[in-house]
């Protein structure tokens, strides 16, 4: 099976997506997601200008060798652009190998270790009532675990709140952080207001929805280690499933301080790209969930290595599944999530109707569980004509400034 063609397809139905499509000499095709939110075209160039010429003529079956070749021969290693590009090649080749073997990819990865994958959805609200309505709405959709994001009094706009402005009847009511336009939006942030408000939100949610519903929260990289410790401690009475990205994790040691003060489970890693980003925090048991996505962590081959390493420390998966991970990236996560033993939970933000037209998906969401489906390969096909209707539109993620004008983590 020789790689004969590799196309980089950019489309923007509800948001920008970058997909690599590899075709072999015997007509098999494989897809890989290479979407890097707000920096999409950098991965397009990395693939088109540097990687595609290296793929033509290679043995499509040599997945690990191709991974190592792309990682080591680049000389410049790691980082979000490189690892998203390598991920797309890796997943496309796994898609092809599973099709050649006439089986769903999870079967090739060792078969299913469970009936389905517990998924969590995003409930949010600027007000208490709006948040409660959003939680009920997600429960009606079948979600058995829910991430809670709330507005904070005094802050104009904050991460994670799906605004009614972007909501149209029949569409999914998801929060899309990347805004189309020439420049990124500036948002305001105040840690004190947030730390005072969030515990009251979880108290109210527990009073309203009871003690059992698994609740998650994303602090989105905004707190210092001691502020993160304080938040974790103040949320302990509300028994969170996890508290995510509670402090920027470039400094992995920072988590020691957080661990010293709280038993609230910690999830980190959606902006990590390789196993080396996890070495210390896994070895020292400083997290409970690996948040990496297949798309941003070098594909199925590399993320499986990260999760196998984490398994030795009883750390589970909590794969990143926002709208900026395409249906191809989501399908890859589901196949890997079905096969591994140390599966924890899967994030599931639902894509828009136009996206579902472009990407024909066979994965299902039933009674709170995701399943990859039993189509051969990944089970996702891309309609290139439909994709061609939606050209790329520049979009940026917002950024934060504090009251005194200082740039802050968004
Ligand atoms: C978030 C993402 O889903 C999450 O946990 O952290 O929404 C994140 O902000 C986006 O993926 C950034 O592109
Ligand atoms: Mg997050």
């Amino acid at each position: 099976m020789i790689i004969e063609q590799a196309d980089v397809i950019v489309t923007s139905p509800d948001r920008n997506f970058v997909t690599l499509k590899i075709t072999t000499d015997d007509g098999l095709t494989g897809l890989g997601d290479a979407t890097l939110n707000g920096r999409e075209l950098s991965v397009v160039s990395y693939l088109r200008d540097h990687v595609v010429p290296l793929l033509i003529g290679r043995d499509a079956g040599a997945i690990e060798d191709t991974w190592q070749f792309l990682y080591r021969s680049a000389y410049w290693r790691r980082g979000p652009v490189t690892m998203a590009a390598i991920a797309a090649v890796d997943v496309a080749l796994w898609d092809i190998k599973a099709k050649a073997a006439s089986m769903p990819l999870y079967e090739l990865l060792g078969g299913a270790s469970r009936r389905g994958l517990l998924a969590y959805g995003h409930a949010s609200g600027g007000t208490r009532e709006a948040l409660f309505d959003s939680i009920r709405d997600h429960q009606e959709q079948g979600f058995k675990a829910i991430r809670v994001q709330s507005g904070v009094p005094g802050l104009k706009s904050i991460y994670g709140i799906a605004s009614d402005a972007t909501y149209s009847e029949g569409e999914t009511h998801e929060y899309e952080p990347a805004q189309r336009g020439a420049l990124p939006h500036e948002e305001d942030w105040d840690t004190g207001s947030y730390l005072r408000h969030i515990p009251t939100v979880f108290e109210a949610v527990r009073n309203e929805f009871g003690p059992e519903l698994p609740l998650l929260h994303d602090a989105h990289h905004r707190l210092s280690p001691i502020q993160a410790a304080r938040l974790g401690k103040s949320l302990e009475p509300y028994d969170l499933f996890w508290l995510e990205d509670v402090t920027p994790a470039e400094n992995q040691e920072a988590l020691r301080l957080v661990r010293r003060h709280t038993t609230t489970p910690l999830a980190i890693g959606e902006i990590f790209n390789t196993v080396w980003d996890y070495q210390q925090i896994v070895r020292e048991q400083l997290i409970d969930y690996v948040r990496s996505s297949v798309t941003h962590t070098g594909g199925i081959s590399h993320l499986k290595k990260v999760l196998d390493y984490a398994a030795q420390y009883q750390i589970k998966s909590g794969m990143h599944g926002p709208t900026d991970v395409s249906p191809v990236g989501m399908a890859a996560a589901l196949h890997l999530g079905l096969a591994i033993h140390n599966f924890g939970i899967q994030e599931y933000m639902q894509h828009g109707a136009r996206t579902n037209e472009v990407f024909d998906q066979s994965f299902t969401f039933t009674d709170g569980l995701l399943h990859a489906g039993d189509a051969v390969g990944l089970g996702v096909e891309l309609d290139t004509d439909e994709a061609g209707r939606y050209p790329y539109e520049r979009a940026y993620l917002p950024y934060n400034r504090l009251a005194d004008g200082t740039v802050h983590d968004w």
Side-chain angles (χ1 to χ4, degrees):
M1 258 184 339
I2 299 301
I3 298 175
E4 200 168 65
Q5 192 176 334
D7 305 301
V8 182
I9 300 155
V10 182
T11 182
S12 196
D14 301 292
R15 51 148 298 113
N16 296 321
F17 294 115
V18 177
T19 306
L20 177 70
K21 181 175 181 178
I22 293 179
T23 307
T24 66
D25 57 350
D26 48 12
L28 284 177
T29 61
L31 298 179
D33 178 26
T35 307
L36 189 63
N37 208 5
R39 296 292 185 274
E40 291 89 353
L41 298 184
S42 60
V43 188
V44 170
S45 166
Y46 194 103
L47 283 167
R48 278 188 183 143
D49 301 330
H50 304 294
V51 169
V52 166
L54 302 175
L55 295 178
I56 307 305
R58 287 187 65 84
D59 172 3
I63 303 177
E64 182 66 22
D65 179 68
T66 298
W67 195 99
Q68 297 296 342
F69 170 66
L70 293 176
Y71 185 76
R72 296 174 194 280
S73 71
Y75 192 66
W76 312 107
R77 300 179 180 190
R78 304 169 70 177
V81 175
T82 299
M83 301 316 289
I86 293 178
V89 175
D90 184 78
V91 172
L93 295 181
W94 276 110
D95 190 11
I96 287 170
K97 194 175 271 278
K99 285 177 177 173
S102 302
M103 60 176 75
L105 178 49
Y106 71 84
E107 288 292 3
L108 202 56
L109 296 171
S113 295
R114 52 199 56 80
R115 284 183 302 107
L117 307 180
L118 175 65
Y120 74 88
H122 287 200
S124 67
T127 63
R128 189 78 29 94
E129 292 61 46
L131 173 60
F132 285 5
D133 289 348
S134 178
I135 294 174
R136 288 191 195 94
D137 177 37
H138 280 79
Q139 288 184 307
E140 276 148 33
Q141 290 176 44
F143 283 99
K144 301 282 187 278
I146 294 185
R147 188 186 85 163
V148 167
Q149 303 294 133
S150 166
V152 172
L155 295 183
K156 290 192 290 303
S157 55
I158 183 175
Y159 165 75
I161 312 299
S163 71
D164 293 342
T166 57
Y167 177 49
S168 48
E169 198 54 40
E171 281 278 354
T172 59
H173 191 189
E174 296 287 15
Y175 164 74
E176 177 52 63
Q179 308 292 319
R180 289 173 168 160
L183 293 172
H185 287 209
E186 181 178 309
E187 297 189 345
D188 53 347
W189 176 253
D190 178 72
T191 302
S193 313
Y194 170 81
L195 287 176
R196 286 187 293 275
H197 186 62
I198 292 302
T200 69
V201 172
F202 279 89
E203 182 183 19
V205 170
R206 278 291 179 225
N207 291 343
E208 181 75 13
F209 295 92
E212 277 144 27
L213 179 62
L215 297 176
L216 303 85
H217 181 65
D218 193 342
H220 223 258
H221 325 270
R222 293 157 189 229
L223 309 179
S224 69
I226 198 64
Q227 292 165 340
R230 172 181 159 189
L231 179 65
K233 201 169 181 60
S234 66
L235 292 175
E236 279 174 14
Y238 313 115
D239 185 24
L240 266 62
F241 183 97
W242 81 32
L243 179 55
E244 178 184 339
D245 284 329
V246 74
T247 189
E250 288 102 327
N251 163 19
Q252 297 191 30
E253 262 172 39
L255 276 298
R256 286 186 188 155
L257 183 63
V258 182
R259 268 303 207 220
R260 216 174 300 145
H261 291 280
T262 180
T263 57
T264 293
L266 301 176
I268 277 195
E270 71 180 48
I271 60 172
F272 285 177
N273 318 108
T274 69
V275 68
W276 292 282
D277 297 317
Y278 285 99
Q279 256 185 338
Q280 182 177 8
I281 55 176
V282 164
R283 192 178 58 241
E284 295 186 20
Q285 215 82 54
L286 299 177
I287 60 168
D288 304 288
Y289 296 92
V290 166
R291 276 288 284 148
S292 272
S293 67
V294 168
T295 299
H296 299 130
T297 316
I300 285 172
S301 300
H302 193 64
L303 183 52
K304 188 162 186 321
K305 291 186 176 97
V306 174
L307 292 168
D308 289 345
Y309 171 52
Q312 299 166 37
Y313 297 85
Q314 288 108 349
I315 295 170
K316 294 188 170 183
S317 73
M319 292 185 232
H320 192 210
T323 45
D324 50 285
V325 165
S326 84
V328 174
M330 175 58 81
L334 301 186
H335 284 279
L336 182 58
L338 267 178
I340 57 173
H341 176 67
N342 58 330
F343 171 81
I345 197 167
Q346 173 66 48
E347 178 177 14
Y348 183 38
M349 284 181 82
Q350 294 158 75
H351 292 105
R354 287 180 290 276
T355 299
N356 295 337
E357 292 291 317
V358 170
F359 296 94
D360 177 23
Q361 304 145 52
S362 59
F363 60 74
T364 58
F365 176 59
T366 321
D367 199 21
L369 296 181
L370 284 161
H371 192 285
D374 287 309
V376 295
L378 270 176
V380 179
E381 294 305 336
L382 186 150
D383 181 328
T384 39
D385 297 339
E386 195 61 23
R389 296 178 52 202
Y390 307 106
Y392 170 79
E393 290 186 47
R394 180 181 298 161
Y396 285 104
L397 286 166
Y399 67 100
N400 269 336
R401 280 195 188 278
L402 305 178
D404 68 3
T406 309
V407 168
H408 190 73
D409 300 290
W410 175 80

